[in-house]
Each structure stands twice: as structure tokens, then as C-alpha cells.
Amino acid sequence: MTYESHLIELPEDAPWHEKPGESIHRQGDTDQIPEVDVTEEDLGETGEDPTNWLIMGGSYQSQRHTTADVITPDNVDQLETEYRLEVADHPNDFQGSPILVDGDPPIMYVTVGPDLLYAINARSGEILWRHFYRPLVGASDTTPPAERGAAVLGDTVYKSTLDLGVIAIDRYTGEERWYYNGAAAYRGEVAQDGPMHEELMWERSRGTTSSFPPLIYDGMLMKGSFGGEFGVSGFFDGISLEDGSPQWRVNMTPPHEWVGESWEHGGATAWASGALEPDSGTVVIPAANPGPWYGTVRPGWNPYSCGKVAVNTEDGEYQWHHQDSPHDWWDYDSPSPPVVFEAEVDGETKNFATWPGKTGWVYTVDMETGQLHQRSDEFVQHLNTFNLPPYDDLESAPWIMPDLIGGTNPQPSAYDPETRTLVVKGTNYPIKFSWFETEYQPGEIYIGMDTVRRTEPVKVEVGEQREGDEVGNERAGNETAIGNETAIGNETTLGNETAGNETGLGNETAGNETGGDGGDLHEDAGDDGEEEEEEEEAEPETQFADESVEEWNQNAGVIAGIDPLTGDVKWQNWFSWRVGPPWGGSLTTATGVTFAGGPGGYLHAFDTESGERLSTNVVGNHGVDGAPISWYDPNEGKQYVAITGGGGNQVNEEGNTIAVYSLQE
């Protein structure tokens, strides 16, 4: 790319500190929270420290790997349930990952959509405080946005908000400290009639893409933007940790690399979390799809859409970029957080960045240059991939795989440095695309694509069971006995607010959960995050219900182990269309165990090297869209595993469960 700064001028007179929404917080027994000074040195060492989990990805490199070693392949089937906690008033997508600050007791910080943050005693499940932010732009009552986690430093916990902001909260009390208004200026223009720029104000039915946690490094807090299906121009911000003042802003559609004015509505939003190579201070940012989906109005490669861009954390300046799908037509954005790892090549130790794409391959690039090292073997099926959609004619459109959900969407992968295994999740459905012309209107969907997905076979035998159905028929046995674990806590002291998703501060309950069937798939073409509501509107009726896709293996998705250096697929565990694809993230341990949630309400344990399923624990009778974490509590002599277990993105049954398991050493 020709070098010209991609930074946007930040107007000093913009209302950067003006908060568009309202905050409410409620306190329980906050005296339980021990005073622990979380330093930037602690953040840098959290990947090696088994007693905490201070960054969503488990480390700056986002490897989602714990050095805790109590749980092994030989004893993982002995995991015991500590508690299941049901939070918020209504079930919704729990696509996040908790943060865990060690202490006596350890404290877990968990986000729930829309815009709820909890501080929880990680041993007992007691809620110690909660903070609710009601965004000015609203959120849907029927499809509440997912929340994907928080960030922590010192005595402050930080979370993204649905109106493109960041809120800083006292992590001992739940009281607000400051607010950063990311919508105060847009494309260099100051918001004129209120705290938010008019082109960034719309009623969000699913604002999930703002809610990835910020990333903290060297005095800077970094976060992205969202709204790729609304014709926005994506950006990625560097914010001062001291007072929340903007320091730099990356234009994710750099004008000098786009034809004419197409960059202004070019999408490429940075809605997922990045990863860092701390020695160089380089952050790798995921980039979403270009806008509109059809490419006739945006000639060229359309950087940085559908790939990753690396920038310097100090000033935001460009380092390199890679595109999984240049000039994309299929919504093959690249939202999965990258993983940074070290490996020896030709006798030289080098750093690499790797990630699975919606395209269904894993890409590994040189961390210093962005040069592609390899594209892996496929981990989901490919059929007519990159076939250009016809104009206004779904009838003649071929079936294409992967569909717009993936490959891999925002699910964070896990990496085991001992076995050099990247654990990825993928979706495996066929889809048809057909484009039509559309005009940009502020706040309106800007896609220009009709789609229809195949989520089940045309002919299904009565009573048919496929190999790969999640845990097979185990739900007929002891798997239904979830038990009577209770989530302890003085819930009555925290008030009886119940205003639905307006506050979400009602009486959380737990215990007496029952099992259930894995749940059927939605009959829509909903994508994660910013795409879901658009697809529900765009999908045609079922005129293709009898059109079979013979090439499809009839599996909805997969969990796979891949060597990111060679690109070899080591193993695959498929999930039948009957249960749906696995969503959410994964976790690896130093002892060779991989944890990952499944669509039937399970937390699975696999052997990281071979993919052998070692054990299964019930989370709830709903999907499991969260990403697991693990820590060792030296005061209890236990290793814990926690997962935000509710989910509804790709299965009918939503939920609102935080499940915690343990094993005594």
C-alpha cells in the first residue's frame, strides 16, 4: 500500500467526555473485594500467572492458555460444579469472557447484554455490585445485545458501551469514574446536535459489536467501532487511561486506498478485540466487511476490510495489513481475535500472528512484516467459494460454502504452545447470494444482498441420529441431572429492579436447573453481531426448501485443532445440524486439556493434541456462546473453570448462566 497516514484528525472541541446515556449502580457486600493493585506488569505476566485472568484473551498475545496444572487429561472427568448463577432479567447472548483478579477471595468481572457489568465473588457466586448503563440509542428488548467482557487496571474496570463509548468504573464499588464518547466526532466532524454524531445514531436491535472489551497497554486504552451494515466508516481509537481523552484514531477505510468517496460508507469496522506483541508495541486489529456487500460501487481491494491491520500502540501509525477476502462480496469479514505466538523457522525464532477467518481457513503471517506464512487446510467445507453473486436472481445462484456466519466469526481461538495447536470453532452451512442496488441513508441498512441458508437436509429419516451429534443420546441419562447448586448471595439487598432490559438489575436466581434437549436451529440467516437483524429481513421465503445440497456433509459446525505454522488440520470434532454449530471461545491448559462450549448446553473437555473428547459437563438447557477461563486459587487448593453459558445466536434456547467448575489438587 502507498504510505499516507491513516489517522483521522481529532477535533479538540468535540464533546469527548459528554455521556449520552445514564448510569445506575447497586451495591451488595463490597467489603468482600480485597484490595489488589493490578499493574501493567501484572497484565503483561497474566498469561504465565495461573492465579488470575486479567485480559479477555488470557494474555496480550490472546492465546487463551492457562498455566494452572491441577486439571489434567486423566482427572478432568472429576470436575465438580461449584455453582450456576443466573443473571439479568431475560435470557440473551452470553458471548463474553470473564476477567478474574486474584485475591482472597478472587473477584470475577462479567458483562451481560445490554450494558450490564457485575462484580462477583468467584468462589461463591455472590454478586457484590452491578453497574448498568442505559445507552441513549437504546437496545432491543427481544434480541438484547451480547456483551463480551471487560478490561481491568489498578482500581478501575473498563467496558465498552453500545453507543460507541468506554466507561471507567471503580472496581471496588461499581461507581462511575469517567466516560469516553467515541461518537463525539466522526470522519473529523464534531457532533452538532447532541453528544453523538447524527450518522452514528440509530436504534440498535443488536449492538453487539461495540461490546468487545477494550485493550490496555502502556498507558493507552484501545477500542474499535461497529455498524458495518449501516454504511459507516470504521475506526479504532487510542484513549488516555489517565482521563479518557482521545489520543489517536485509525481510519479503517483509508481514503487514499479507496476509489473516490466510497471509503465514507466502506464499513471495515473494528468491532472485535485485537492482540498485542508487547516487545514491539504492535496491536493487530480485526477488520469487518466492506459496505455495501456488493462491490460494484467500491472498486479495488478495499483495505482494511475483511482482514487484520497492525498499528503502533503509541501513535496508531500503520505497520502492515492482510486481507482474507479482498474486495469482498460474501460478508467474509475477519472478526476472530488474532493470536500471537513464537516459533522457530529455518533456525530463526520469529513471532507470528494467526487467526481463523470466516473464509474457513487459518491465516498465519509474520508479525513483523505481515507477510503471509501459510493458509491452512480447510477446517470447514468449501463449495463454490468466492463465486460472484448474480444480480437479483437467487434462482440461478449456486450454493456457496462457507456461509456468511463463517468459517469462524467472533469466536476467540485458543493456542497451546506445547503442542503448537490452535483450537478453532467453525460454522458449516450452505448459502445463496444475490445482489441488488441500494442507496446509502443514515441509520438505514446498507447491504444490497439477498441470502438464503440451508440449515437442515431436505430429507430427514425419522429418528435419524448422526455421528457427531453433540454427546449423542447422553441427555437421556445422567446428563439431565444438573442438580440443585445455588448461587449464593444477598440478592435481596440489591433491590428488586425489574424494568426488563431497561435496567436488568432484578433478582438473579440459581439452582434447581434442569437439563433439556439441545435445541433446534433458528430458521434465519442471522450472522453474529452487526449482521443478524439485517439477514433476518433480507432472507427470502422458503422457495428453496426442496433444493438439496448434495456436497454438504450435513454438519452444522466443528471444533478443530490446527498447527498454525504448517497449516495441518490435526483433528476435527463435528456437530450435526440437529444440535447446531458450536459458538463461543475455547481455552487450553498447560497439561494438554482444551475446554470449549457446545450448542446443546455443554462444556466439553478435549485432549488438545488428539481431539479426543475427555469429559462433558452440563452448563444449562440452552446454547453456550461464552468463552471459558481458568485460574488456580492457592487459598482453596483448587483449579477453577468458568464460562458464561447463555447463548442464542445459533440455537433457539437462549440463557443467562454463569457456570463455575473446580477440581481440588
Side-chain angles (χ1 to χ4, degrees):
M1 108 177 237
T2 57
Y3 183 77
E4 183 176 331
S5 179
H6 60 188
L7 298 179
I8 299 173
E9 182 179 353
L10 298 171
E12 294 184 3
D13 57 342
W16 297 110
H17 296 287
E18 187 172 343
K19 186 173 67 172
E22 299 176 341
S23 295
I24 303 170
H25 79 280
R26 295 287 184 269
Q27 293 182 345
D29 185 8
T30 57
D31 290 340
Q32 293 185 35
I33 305 177
E35 292 190 13
V36 176
D37 184 24
V38 179
T39 66
E40 289 216 28
E41 183 178 1
D42 294 329
L43 296 184
E45 296 175 352
T46 186
E48 299 297 325
D49 187 347
T51 66
N52 61 41
W53 191 284
L54 300 176
I55 299 173
M56 186 200 87
S59 64
Y60 280 134
Q61 293 85 353
S62 198
Q63 294 185 358
R64 301 199 59 79
H65 180 76
T66 180
T67 57
D69 59 5
V70 176
I71 300 171
T72 70
D74 294 329
N75 63 24
V76 67
D77 60 348
Q78 300 171 32
L79 273 183
E80 296 183 355
T81 303
E82 286 285 338
Y83 56 87
R84 292 185 184 83
L85 173 64
E86 294 186 4
V87 294
D89 288 335
H90 298 285
N92 58 78
D93 281 350
F94 272 33
Q95 296 181 24
S97 182
I99 296 293
L100 192 287
V101 179
D102 57 356
D104 190 12
I107 303 300
M108 187 161 52
Y109 297 94
V110 183
T111 57
V112 180
D115 278 327
L116 271 162
L117 174 64
Y118 292 85
I120 299 170
N121 181 323
R123 286 186 196 148
S124 67
E126 182 175 349
I127 296 175
L128 306 178
W129 60 254
R130 74 200 79 184
H131 185 283
F132 171 66
Y133 176 73
R134 182 185 288 110
L136 174 68
V137 293
S140 169
D141 289 333
T142 56
T143 56
E147 294 278 353
R148 295 191 175 96
V152 65
L153 181 66
D155 58 0
T156 307
V157 60
Y158 305 85
K159 73 173 295 296
S160 301
T161 67
L162 296 180
D163 47 21
L164 292 164
V166 175
I167 195 163
I169 298 166
D170 186 309
R171 72 177 187 86
Y172 298 113
T173 67
E175 297 171 327
E176 183 177 331
R177 290 232 161 105
W178 51 257
Y179 180 89
Y180 165 75
N181 181 2
Y186 180 54
R187 302 194 192 105
E189 299 177 355
V190 177
Q192 295 295 323
D193 300 318
M196 297 181 67
H197 192 283
E198 63 178 354
E199 288 192 67
L200 298 178
M201 291 183 65
W202 61 85
E203 189 75 13
R204 293 176 174 85
S205 67
R206 295 188 68 84
T208 61
T209 51
S210 178
S211 59
F212 266 93
L215 185 61
I216 294 172
Y217 177 77
D218 196 22
M220 198 76 67
L221 182 147
M222 292 165 281
K223 78 168 293 289
S225 60
F226 66 98
E229 270 59 59
F230 289 87
V232 302
S233 171
F235 54 87
F236 186 80
D237 287 348
I239 306 159
S240 168
L241 274 169
E242 184 175 345
D243 61 0
S245 299
Q247 302 300 297
W248 46 261
R249 171 169 284 185
V250 173
N251 188 338
M252 295 293 288
T253 57
H256 60 284
E257 291 294 322
W258 286 60
V259 174
E261 303 301 312
S262 61
W263 71 272
E264 291 188 348
H265 308 299
T269 51
W271 60 274
S273 286
L276 269 163
E277 201 293 291
D279 290 339
S280 64
T282 300
V283 60
V284 183
I285 309 163
N289 55 278
W293 286 7
Y294 66 95
T296 60
V297 296
R298 45 174 178 81
W301 299 118
N302 308 138
Y304 306 118
S305 67
C306 296
K308 302 289 191 281
V309 57
V311 306
N312 188 302
T313 57
E314 182 179 2
D315 55 18
E317 286 291 1
Y318 174 88
Q319 304 293 307
W320 53 260
H321 79 279
H322 175 278
Q323 289 182 272
D324 304 354
S325 179
H327 188 66
D328 179 75
W329 281 65
W330 309 272
D331 194 33
Y332 286 161
D333 49 324
S334 187
S336 183
V339 173
V340 176
F341 72 99
E342 187 179 82
E344 185 175 306
V345 177
D346 298 329
E348 181 183 359
T349 300
K350 303 178 68 173
N351 284 317
F352 295 90
T354 187
W355 62 88
K358 272 191 177 183
T359 58
W361 295 288
V362 167
Y363 301 87
T364 300
V365 305
D366 186 299
M367 186 64 201
E368 184 177 354
T369 65
Q371 176 78 30
L372 181 66
H373 173 75
Q374 66 80 21
R375 189 190 76 176
S376 76
D377 296 337
E378 65 179 17
F379 60 88
V380 295
Q381 289 186 273
H382 288 85
L383 174 66
N384 299 315
T385 310
F386 300 129
N387 190 293
L388 281 178
Y391 175 73
D392 199 21
D393 185 11
L394 270 175
E395 188 71 37
S396 69
W399 289 102
I400 290 175
M401 296 180 73
D403 78 329
L404 55 83
I405 300 291
T408 299
N409 208 298
Q411 303 98 307
S413 302
Y415 177 71
D416 177 27
E418 295 300 319
T419 61
R420 208 169 71 194
T421 304
L422 184 73
V423 180
V424 305
K425 290 185 175 182
T427 304
N428 194 63
Y429 291 131
I431 192 170
K432 284 175 174 277
F433 292 95
S434 173
W435 70 279
F436 58 90
E437 294 182 31
T438 187
E439 296 289 332
Y440 170 75
Q441 296 291 333
E444 300 296 326
I445 293 167
Y446 187 55
I447 295 180
M449 196 75 69
D450 287 324
T451 62
V452 60
R453 297 169 76 206
R454 167 72 63 224
T455 59
E456 63 180 56
V458 172
K459 295 181 180 180
V460 180
E461 296 296 331
V462 177
E464 177 187 0
Q465 276 287 346
R466 293 182 51 81
E467 183 179 356
D469 281 6
E470 186 170 22
V471 196
N473 288 316
E474 289 179 9
R475 280 212 181 263
N478 291 328
E479 296 300 331
T480 58
I482 300 183
N484 294 315
E485 296 82 2
T486 57
I488 303 98
N490 297 321
E491 296 301 326
T492 56
T493 67
L494 299 179
N496 293 317
E497 300 83 356
T498 59
N501 286 321
E502 289 299 304
T503 65
L505 297 176
N507 286 330
E508 293 78 2
T509 61
N512 298 319
E513 302 93 345
T514 59
D517 293 331
D520 297 323
L521 293 173
H522 280 305
E523 292 292 334
D524 57 49
D527 195 358
D528 175 66
E530 48 191 326
E531 290 92 351
E532 179 156 345
E533 79 277 21
E534 295 86 350
E535 291 311 301
E536 291 177 352
E537 293 182 11
E539 186 180 44
E541 297 300 325
T542 57
Q543 65 263 42
F544 300 100
D546 295 330
E547 190 171 319
S548 180
V549 185
E550 298 297 333
E551 298 87 349
W552 179 36
N553 66 12
Q554 298 184 12
N555 287 312
V558 71
I559 300 177
I562 299 170
D563 185 329
L565 198 65
T566 66
D568 295 333
V569 175
K570 295 183 175 184
W571 50 266
Q572 290 169 289
N573 274 292
W574 289 97
F575 290 73
S576 166
W577 65 272
R578 290 186 174 278
V579 295
W583 203 253
S586 48
L587 157 74
T588 62
T589 77
T591 58
V593 177
T594 287
F595 288 100
Y602 295 105
L603 175 67
H604 297 291
F606 302 97
D607 183 287
T608 303
E609 175 68 13
S610 69
E612 176 189 358
R613 181 150 40 198
L614 302 172
S615 69
T616 298
N617 290 84
V618 176
V619 176
N621 59 345
H622 46 62
V624 181
D625 286 5
I629 69 167
S630 184
W631 70 95
Y632 173 71
D633 186 340
N635 295 290
E636 296 289 309
K638 292 180 179 181
Q639 181 177 348
Y640 291 79
V641 178
I643 188 166
T644 48
N649 189 279
Q650 292 297 298
V651 294
N652 277 333
E653 295 297 329
E654 295 181 336
N656 52 352
T657 304
I658 300 170
V660 177
Y661 311 89
S662 71
L663 186 65
Q664 188 82 43
E665 62 183 346

